[in-house]
Amino acid sequence: MSNSIISQALDMKLDNFDSLKSFISGIKMLPSNCTQTKINKFAKTFGVEPSIVKAVHCCFRVSKVGMPLPEPSEQVMAATKLAKQLYKTISKYIGCESYERKMLVLWILQTWFVDYVCYVPYLFIDSPEAECGKTQTLTLLMQTCRKAALFDSTTVASIPRVMTSDTPPTLLIDESDCQRLKFGAGRDFINGGYQRTSSVVKADLNDQTGILTFSAFGNKVFAGIDLCQVLNAATVSRGIVFRLKRRKASDGETCFKDMTIAALNPGWKKLREYLRRMEIDYAEEFEKCYINEETPLDFPKGITSARAKQIWRGIFVLAYLETKKYGDETLLNWAKEAMLQTRGDREDFLSSKERFCRNLKEIIKNTEDSFISTQAICNALNENPEWGWCDMNNSKGISVRHVSLWIKSYGLESHREQYMDSKSMGFYTKDLKKFLDKK
């Protein structure tokens, strides 16, 4: 990808190969915080515009974003053995179901074959509230995914710059629930970035008539609270949803090991070296099986979505190779279980806001008043232990502010009216019923 950007930026200004080679070598020697004066001087040496030097320099600089590719280990380890090691590791740091650990293992393994696939599955880490393990999970992925790059926030402008690399990084984007407007503006990068053939056209800021084409293809992780409600359905359909749950610990007890501290352990580097060796050893046969439409991939019965099969194809190709080479069906069984258990049409996979609307509907159904206070809604939600709202906020329950913000997010405004013995902020029941009947 970087070669494409460089050639567009140069626009044949340097048609002599030796001059071009010297130009590229010189660009690589420039420091990342190079001043405009140095850029102007360098541009004058080669007789090109400073904007060209700046564009190419930027391309080389941002290509280094993310964890560098390690040297492959000398010892070879089969993918299944690596998968079992990753499974044990995840169980130490992340609280989740067995099939979810298997899904995470398979997702990590497929990131190492990004150069040989046409589709990648995004990973959506959906948390019902704060302190459910988003950061812990992202830190673990940072240590195990191929060329992982962790961002606490990102912008539409930064995505193509980060992705301008011959082999794209694995983007880990935290706080995605707070970036709805940014993702809306960058929908072309996000929705198209799961398939290799898609490209995005942007205006060249250094040329009023010029355009640049970018590829946003690559593995991406989006983490946030109620993420599936924030992102549109089209985006979510391009990935796998990992639904976190709050895990409680008694006083003086820690549920799971601290991943931030554990990340300092040099053993992670050794693990990445094994993963790199797996990638190199499997690459040729993996690519052949992937592009061969006749490869007998054993997708589970009941999966009818063509897109689901596209984004899971790389995982099932790896499982097929393990079965073919070693007669080991472990990865195949894991893939089939994970694909079935994480499919988006499962009835029990309701987001927090979907559960909220369902429970609110029951509350309003039993209300005869024309107006109900936000506090009354909050109390009703917390009084029913089966709904689970009383466990939020360290067992303090869902707050009035949380209830109000969620209802307002659907376009309903609160009002101050007489309720019981005093005036309170709340909502008209007719407005709530009208809204909930559409859900």
Side-chain angles (χ1 to χ4, degrees), residues 361 432-439:
K361 196 170 187 176
L432 290 171
K433 286 179 179 178
K434 185 178 180 180
F435 148 70
L436 291 167
D437 285 343
K438 297 178 181 178
K439 297 300 289 180

Side-chain angles (χ1 to χ4, degrees), residues 9-173:
L10 293 176
D11 194 26
M12 304 302 288
K13 300 291 184 182
L14 296 169
D15 51 5
N16 181 279
F17 178 76
D18 291 333
S19 297
L20 178 59
K21 190 175 180 181
S22 300
F23 178 83
I24 298 299
S25 299
I27 287 282
K28 290 181 177 180
M29 296 296 291
L30 292 175
S32 60
N33 58 346
C34 187
T35 63
Q36 187 62 46
T37 302
K38 288 185 178 180
I39 287 177
N40 293 341
K41 185 176 180 181
F42 187 89
K44 188 175 181 181
T45 301
F46 286 90
V48 298
E49 295 294 326
S51 60
I52 292 177
V53 177
K54 197 168 185 178
V56 179
H57 175 249
C58 179
C59 182
F60 277 114
R61 179 159 52 90
V62 299
S63 293
K64 298 178 182 178
V65 168
M67 193 79 74
L69 279 175
E71 291 296 322
S73 67
E74 294 182 2
Q75 183 180 350
V76 178
M77 190 180 294
T80 300
K81 190 173 182 179
L82 276 170
K84 290 178 179 178
Q85 180 62 50
L86 284 168
Y87 183 90
K88 291 180 182 178
T89 302
I90 290 172
S91 65
K92 295 178 183 178
Y93 300 101
I94 303 171
C96 57
E97 302 295 332
S98 174
Y99 73 84
E100 292 173 316
R101 283 195 290 273
K102 293 171 184 175
M103 179 273 292
L104 276 180
V105 168
L106 294 168
W107 196 88
I108 290 168
L109 291 179
Q110 66 84 35
T111 65
W112 291 85
F113 295 94
V114 66
D115 289 340
Y116 314 102
V117 298
C118 298
Y119 299 93
V120 292
Y122 292 161
L123 181 63
F124 300 105
I125 302 175
D126 197 354
S127 175
E129 58 179 318
E131 297 186 37
C132 286
K134 286 192 292 89
T135 303
Q136 184 93 333
T137 305
L138 288 170
T139 307
L140 185 141
L141 293 174
M142 181 71 183
Q143 296 297 324
T144 54
C145 291
R146 190 182 194 270
K147 284 189 68 178
L150 177 60
F151 296 89
D152 290 328
S153 179
T154 190
T155 63
V156 175
S158 67
I159 294 175
R161 292 173 180 173
V162 171
M163 300 306 291
T164 51
S165 171
D166 289 325
T167 178
T170 300
L171 292 188
L172 313 177
I173 306 174

Side-chain angles (χ1 to χ4, degrees), residues 261-272:
I261 297 174
L264 302 175
N265 191 317
W268 295 103
K269 182 175 181 292
K270 190 67 177 176
L271 177 59
R272 289 194 298 274

Side-chain angles (χ1 to χ4, degrees), residues 204-242:
D204 184 355
L205 300 181
N206 297 310
D207 183 355
Q208 291 185 350
T209 62
I211 60 172
L212 292 173
T213 58
F214 296 91
S215 171
F217 177 71
N219 289 291
K220 301 176 186 67
V221 179
F222 301 91
I225 296 174
D226 278 325
L227 193 59
C228 292
Q229 287 290 318
V230 174
L231 300 176
N232 63 66
T235 302
V236 176
S237 71
R238 287 156 166 78
I240 305 169
V241 181
F242 176 41

Side-chain angles (χ1 to χ4, degrees), residues 398-411:
I398 191 170
S399 66
V400 171
R401 181 177 178 275
H402 211 145
V403 171
S404 180
L405 287 174
W406 273 1
I407 295 177
K408 288 180 179 179
S409 72
Y410 291 110

Side-chain angles (χ1 to χ4, degrees), residues 262-299:
L264 302 175
N265 191 317
W268 295 103
K269 182 175 181 292
K270 190 67 177 176
L271 177 59
R272 289 194 298 274
E273 290 173 354
Y274 279 120
L275 289 165
R276 177 63 171 159
R277 167 56 63 191
M278 174 200 69
E279 174 198 347
I280 294 172
D281 289 351
Y282 283 60
E284 184 177 353
E285 197 169 357
F286 180 95
E287 187 173 25
K288 287 180 181 178
C289 291
Y290 189 93
I291 62 177
N292 183 5
E293 295 183 1
E294 302 301 320
T295 300
L297 302 182
D298 190 12
F299 291 107

